[in-house]
């Protein structure tokens, strides 16, 4: 036998150690490791870490196998790894029902167990007797399984096992939103068994998902059936959440040494080198000790102060564990591996030396890693006084196999037996290196040749869907359906993927299925989803965002490919919208928002794109892997025909003409508006005074006597003249008398309905019609509904239809059968939608010169291109026109003239009907449904919703969407996106009905919660859902906007948006909330962005009376583009410019208060104040000093407590002054001016004291406040103050001018706050010299 080389001898030494310390404990039957000699439980996590040393050693042997026995040793070690990994696999497969159930419930009781019996692999404790839900353990198993498979071991033997592992991937897929018990099995650190989101679990899951993606579990011998598929977006969500959390571990643990396994070996889950460094440094600076690192701050486990008789801790006792937490040598092993992978030899040596000092020698001289070191009972006092000074003793297991295994790996690396690449065959360690810029490929496809030609006019050449064949283009929902077949297994009872969500990373690949290639359009362009999708500008905005996202998030082979289909429905008045053309030109130029793009045809990109094989769709279980699964076959056959060819029913061509603004007074007028709850100017709520009722009469041709009597010239009905020439009547003199339709109404409804008087879109005030009720209320219920429905048929204005339907819903309910003949209804709805030809009430009123025009009313509405009116209506048309014209002119002699007007109108209408009969016969079926079906109010609303979408009447769209109970598809996802980045969300208007959402909820519950919060106000409830989606978009793309914000209070944000509009447009609160609800989704998102980022903005008007939000860099520019409701000119313009500076600080405080934005490190500084006093009282809520006993300064739970107290304050600007007062208090404590601040501090007293001081100064210098609060009071003033109104309208009895002072300067708020603190707090010395640091 040849002599061994030195390396061989050294390896044999390690082999003996591994055998004695690790393999000797492996159970021969199951291959699992028991926790200790006396405890036969086998933890998944510990078992996987234990076997790593064995795996590392086997690879070291493989390299130097110069003799047969070395190859034998190598094989033996490898098979020990396989045995253990299969043992764990069997134990988990026994619980396959749990995996299936957990996909649905995500409940901790349905999770896989965290530990099994090492004797037989069966469960050892009940579902609810242990914190089993530990996503990091299952993830670690999958990650190491992937690495071992990649290194050449075969662990998985059958396709059933492959499907089980595919389902384990689904099990950890949503780790970013599932609170679990984490790496220390405790959840919240008080150990009360409350799971929480843990960064270490999310990081491990991200690593496992990436490692598993496209991995063949049969190694080199496998085929398409043994490949695991992961949707890239799920891994990316985990990454985004992880990055937003680090270096924090969870809500209750502000830092945790367990994160070392996420930023380094084995997970390498973080891509940002700086973040890795920050996290490591935070752990070393705050948790490192002589004997290792603490697990986390105030960790009571095995400390002398722990009460071993109970599992949980009292909240107050956590403070006792500070500075005496156990230190774990295990983390030095992690740090050695971390630096070895960074190739930092100096640090490796440094930690190796530290570790050497604290290892325990066994009798035969082997170095052992103990579990942890604790302070001995008798030295606790000395340790409290001088942390880190006392000698500690070993507690827990020794050797601790998890640590021992990592130690041996570190030694193998240090001595050069292993290269880092061998421990990481999947190259995860390279994730943080800089990558080249991603080029995003964009393909635009036209729905048909017509659209292709329209694009060609703009020099944009694209293909049609037909021309890209054989590549098939499908919507994202087809892909999400196909993915539900992934991982199905009848034998194991596993049902495949549950989540229906496919993100942009998944749709940016091409997919091959047998010999076909599919491209999928992104999920956000799916029109069936929500009304946001009908706003082209917003879609373009989202597209730009997604392209930008791909640039940073794409890490697959090949380039991302975004496929878009331009459809009929995107056209605006039959033209391609300008915004789309501009964006396509930008794409063509090769750069868009700083991202490199290539615009081209699909076939050009085949070689450069990522292509995934959808092989899992074969029917492998039936033994025909080459044939498609029969269900998939039928699904594809149905869908491929339908998905892009069908015209949706929304595609009525009536959208070309603008909606005609037909104006009539009626008693359900404003029914929608009265549901609004946005309160902008709280002073004048309900101050409008009751307006009298207006009534309509259908039957009478003679004008009612009460109308003749009042000869008011401006009793008028507003309307704009229709666009067509022939129908607009020549101007005729004569008294106008409005034709009123009369029907009785529930007085309660109508009163409040008409109180709300501001009219949108046309910015003019409606003249008031004063009419007395003259009929007693008898039972008119039935006639009322019939007349309403008749009115519904006769009106063309969508807003008015909305009011009628709102009224019907209020009184009759959504499912009320309107008993309309369906053809007529669809006809009414579709023609009204056209807003096209034909008359309406034509009239103009002018209060000044009292001249008026006869009103011509044409009932049966004229058709648009896509509809047909029955012949009988033709005949009635002219007659009705003539009769009405006569009736309207009883006092004038020019009846002839009137009929002369009416006749051409009727003729024009008639001819247009004939035209449409000839041309568009084929389209007759489009707007109609089968006859004989019941038409409910709901059906009518649906029609109205679709038309409002088409005509972009956003206020109406939001309202009808709310009434129909629509919800944003991605609402649950959006809320989850916000929550997992540690932002809580509240909905509803403060202070009374604000609901806080603290944990992800199912969509249905969320929607219910939002609607409960706003009562009947459907529009605002809808707006809330919409804003949540935008907030989620921003937090994904621009997380920096949300710094120092813990709770997003959507109700307050809506109020501030309305306030800002009312300030910019210079209009009243009610008009502003109307403007707000009528902003297009794109402008809404824009306004929200300006408010979040604090940028100044102006409002400019675009077509159709819509508003557009524009950033203004300088106030001079904005003056031009701002539309006030009255434009300032001449001298006024000057005042306006000066005014702009005034109110600036008030506005900033209002914005920051509403967004809950606080100064940096605010919460941890409040913690220091709380430590020095007995409590802080804010709005009647006291923060007790005991909070500091339970929570550490940087803990999220503490921040949320402070936040909750501040949120008791309803007025945002007042809340912000309270925050400033707290900041002054923190300065007092930080500069150690006083040893203690005394008892409970009432923070509002400080603010009010500061206000008093401010007013005294204002009187001295005759400042602005002398006009309001600093006035010398006479009797009337005092009465006013007593009734709760300040003259200047300042919130919470604080002068408006104080809110509007800058924080610094001699008249700044901080100066007054500091003086107030000095006066109010007893502890601050009243005289004598004192170092002042707050100057």
């Amino acid at each position: 036998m040849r002599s061994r080389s030195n390396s061989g001898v050294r390896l044999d030494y390690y082999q003996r150690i591994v055998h004695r310390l690790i393999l000797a404990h492996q159970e021969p039957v199951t291959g699992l490791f028991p926790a200790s000699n006396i405890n036969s439980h086998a933890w998944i996590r510990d078992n996987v870490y234990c076997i790593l040393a064995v795996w590392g050693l086997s690879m070291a042997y493989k390299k130097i196998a110069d003799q047969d026995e070395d190859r034998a040793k190598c094989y033996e070690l490898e098979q020990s790894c396989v045995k253990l990994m299969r043992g764990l696999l069997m134990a988990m497969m026994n619980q396959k029902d749990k995996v299936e159930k957990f996909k649905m419930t995500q409940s901790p009781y349905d999770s896989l167990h965290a530990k099994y019996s090492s004797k037989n692999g069966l469960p050892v404790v009940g579902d609810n007797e242990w914190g089993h839900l530990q996503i990091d353990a299952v993830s670690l198993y999958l990650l190491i399984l992937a690495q071992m498979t990649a290194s050449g071991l075969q662990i998985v033997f059958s396709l059933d096992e492959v499907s089980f592992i595919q389902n384990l991937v689904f099990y950890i897929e949503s780790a970013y939103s599932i609170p679990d018990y984490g790496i220390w099995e405790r959840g919240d650190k008080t150990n009360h068994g409350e799971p929480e989101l843990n960064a270490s679990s999310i990081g491990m899951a991200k690593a496992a998902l990436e490692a598993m993606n496209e991995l063949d579990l049969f190694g080199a011998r496998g085929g398409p059936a043994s490949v695991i598929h992961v949707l890239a977006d799920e891994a990316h969500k985990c990454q985004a959440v992880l990055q937003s959390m680090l270096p924090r571990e969870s809500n209750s643990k502000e830092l945790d040494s367990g994160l070392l396994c996420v930023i380094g070996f084995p997970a390498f889950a973080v891509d940002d080198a700086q973040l890795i460094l920050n996290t490591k440094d935070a752990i070393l600076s705050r948790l490192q000790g002589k004997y290792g690192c603490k697990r986390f701050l105030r960790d009571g486990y095995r400390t002398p102060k722990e009460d071993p008789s109970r599992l949980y801790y009292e909240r107050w006792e956590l403070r006792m564990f500070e500075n005496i937490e156990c230190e774990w040598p295990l983390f030095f092993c992690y740090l050695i591996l971390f630096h070895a992978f960074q190739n930092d030899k100096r640090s490796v040596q440094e930690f190796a030396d530290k570790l050497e000092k604290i290892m325990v020698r066994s009798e035969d001289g082997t170095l052992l890693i103990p579990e942890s070191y604790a302070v001995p009972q008798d030295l606790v006092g000395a340790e409290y006084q001088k942390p880190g000074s006392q000698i500690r003793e070993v507690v827990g297991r020794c050797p601790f196999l998890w640590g021992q295994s990592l130690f041996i790996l570190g030694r193998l690396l240090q001595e050069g037996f292993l290269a880092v690449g061998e421990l990481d065959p999947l190259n995860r360690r390279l994730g943080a290196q800089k990558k080249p810029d991603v080029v995003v490929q964009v393909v635009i496809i036209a729905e048909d040749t017509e659209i292709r030609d329209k694009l060609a006019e703009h020099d944009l050449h694209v293909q049609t869907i037909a021309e890209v064949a054989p590549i098939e283009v499908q919507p994202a929902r087809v892909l999400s359906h196909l993915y539900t077949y992934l991982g199905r297994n009848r034998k194991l009872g596993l049902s495949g993927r549950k989540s229906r969500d496919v993100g942009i990373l998944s749709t940016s690949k091409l997919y091959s299925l047998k010999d076909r290639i599919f491209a999928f359009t992104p999920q956000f362009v799916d029109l069936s989803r929500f009304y946001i999708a009908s706003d082209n500008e917003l879609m373009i905005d989202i597209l730009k965002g997604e392209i930008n996202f791909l640039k940073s998030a794409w890490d697959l082979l090949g380039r991302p490919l975004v496929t878009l289909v331009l459809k009929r429905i995107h056209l605006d008045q039959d033209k391609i919208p300008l915004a789309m053309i501009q964006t396509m030109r930008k794409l063509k130029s090769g750069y868009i928002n700083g991202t490199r793009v290539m615009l081209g045809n699909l076939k050009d990109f085949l070689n450069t794109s990522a292509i995934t094989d959808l092989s899992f769709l074969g029917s492998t279980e039936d033994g025909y892997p080459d044939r498609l699964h029969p269900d998939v076959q039928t699904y594809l056959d149905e869908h491929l025909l339908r998905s892009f060819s069908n015209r949706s029913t929304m595609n009525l061509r009536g959208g070309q003409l603008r909606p005609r603004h037909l104006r009539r007074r009626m008693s359900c007028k404003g029914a929608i508006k009265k549901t609004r709850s946005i309160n902008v100017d709280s002073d004048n709520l309900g101050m409008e005074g009751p307006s009298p009722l207006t009534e309509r009469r259908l039957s009478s041709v003679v004008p009612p006597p009460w109308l003749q009597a009042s000869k008011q010239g401006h009793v008028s009905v507003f309307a704009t003249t229709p666009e067509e020439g022939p129908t607009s009547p020549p101007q005729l003199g004569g008294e106008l008398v409005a034709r009123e339709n009369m029907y009785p109404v529930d007085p309660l409804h109508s009163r409040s309905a008409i109180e709300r008087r501001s009219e949108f879109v046309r910015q003019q005030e409606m003249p008031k019609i004063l009419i007395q009720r003259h009929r007693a209320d008898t039972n008119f219920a039935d006639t009322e509904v019939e007349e309403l429905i008749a009115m519904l048929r006769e009106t063309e204005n969508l807003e008015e239809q909305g009011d009628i339907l709102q009224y019907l819903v209020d009184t009759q309910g959504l499912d009320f059968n309107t008993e309309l003949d369906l053809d007529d209804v669809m006809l009414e709805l579709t023609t009204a939608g056209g807003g096209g030809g034909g008359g309406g009430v034509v009239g103009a009123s002018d209060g000044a010169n009292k001249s008026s025009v006869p009103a011509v009313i044409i009932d049966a509405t004229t058709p648009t291109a896509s509809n047909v009116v029955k012949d009988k209506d033709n005949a009635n048309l002219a007659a009705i026109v003539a009769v009405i014209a006569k009736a309207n002119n009883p006092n004038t002699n020019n009846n002839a003239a009137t009929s002369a007007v009416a006749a051409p109108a009727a003729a024009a209408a008639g001819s247009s009907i004939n035209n449409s009969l000839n041309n568009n016969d084929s389209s007759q079926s489009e707007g109609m449904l089968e006859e004989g079906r019941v038409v409910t109010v709901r059906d009518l609303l649906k029609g109205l919703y679709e038309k409002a979408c088409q005509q972009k009447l956003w206020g109406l769209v939001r309202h009808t969407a709310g009434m129909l109970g629509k919800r944003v598809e991605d609402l649950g996802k959006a809320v989850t996106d916000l929550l997992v980045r540690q932002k809580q969300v509240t909905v509803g208007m403060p202070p009374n009905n604000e609901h806080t959402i603290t944990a992800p909820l199912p969509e249905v519950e969320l929607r219910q919660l939002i609607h409960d919060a706003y009562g009947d106000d459907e529009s605002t409830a809808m707006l809330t859902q919409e804003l949540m989606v935008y907030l989620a978009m921003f937090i994904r793309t621009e997380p920096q906007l949300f710094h120092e914000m813990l709770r997003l209070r959507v109700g307050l944000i809506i109020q501030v948006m309305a306030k800002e509009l009312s300030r910019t447009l210079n209009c009243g609160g009610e008009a502003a909330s109307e403007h707000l609800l009528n902003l297009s989704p794109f402008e809404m998102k824009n306004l929200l962005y300006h408010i979040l980022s604090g940028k100044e903005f102006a409002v400019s008007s675009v077509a159709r009376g819509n508003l557009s939000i524009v950033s203004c860099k300088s106030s001079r520019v904005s003056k031009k583009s701002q539309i006030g409701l009255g434009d300032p000119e001449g001298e006024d313009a000057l005042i306006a410019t000066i005014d702009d500076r005034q109110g600036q600080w008030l506005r900033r405080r209002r914005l920051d208060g509403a967004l809950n934005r606080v100064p940096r490190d605010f919460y941890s500084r409040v913690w220091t104040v709380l430590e020095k006093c007995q409590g802080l009282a804010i709005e009647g809520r006291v923060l007790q000093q005991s909070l500091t006993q339970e929570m550490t300064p940087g803990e999220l739970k503490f921040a949320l407590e402070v936040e909750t107290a501040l949120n008791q304050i309803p007025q945002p600007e007042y809340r912000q002054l309270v925050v400033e007062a707290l900041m002054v208090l923190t300065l007092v404590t930080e500069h150690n001016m006083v040893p203690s601040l005394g008892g409970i501090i009432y923070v509002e007293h400080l603010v009010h004291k500061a206000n008093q001081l401010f007013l005294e100064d204002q009187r001295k210098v005759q400042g602005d406040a002398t006009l309001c609060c600093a006035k010398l009071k006479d009797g009337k003033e005092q009465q006013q103050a007593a009734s709760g109104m300040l003259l200047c309208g300042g919130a919470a009895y604080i002068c408006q001018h104080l809110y509007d002072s800058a924080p610094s300067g001699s008249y700044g708020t901080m100066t007054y706050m500091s003086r107030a603190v000095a006066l109010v707090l007893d502890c601050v010395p009243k005289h004598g010299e004192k170092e002042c640091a707050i100057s």
Side-chain angles (χ1 to χ4, degrees), residues 530-549:
F530 191 56
Y531 63 78
I532 294 179
S534 9
D535 183 7
N536 294 329
E537 280 186 302
L538 182 69
M539 298 316 282
I540 290 168
D541 193 49
I542 295 176
L543 170 69
K544 286 179 186 164
E546 299 283 294
I547 288 179
N548 206 4
F549 169 76

Side-chain angles (χ1 to χ4, degrees), residues 1109-1152:
I1109 310 292
V1110 201
S1111 290
C1112 51
K1113 298 289 173 283
S1114 80
S1115 55
R1116 277 197 305 280
V1117 181
S1118 66
K1119 274 288 155 278
K1120 263 211 302 283
S1121 60
Q1122 267 181 15
I1123 53 159
L1125 296 185
D1127 291 328
E1129 282 163 25
E1131 288 168 30
D1132 301 347
L1134 208 85
I1135 299 167
T1137 342
I1138 301 166
D1139 260 9
D1140 229 29
R1141 293 246 302 285
Q1142 215 177 359
Q1144 201 177 349
W1145 280 105
L1146 169 64
R1147 174 170 172 265
R1148 278 240 352 228
R1149 288 198 168 98
R1150 205 171 261 167
L1151 285 185
D1152 286 345

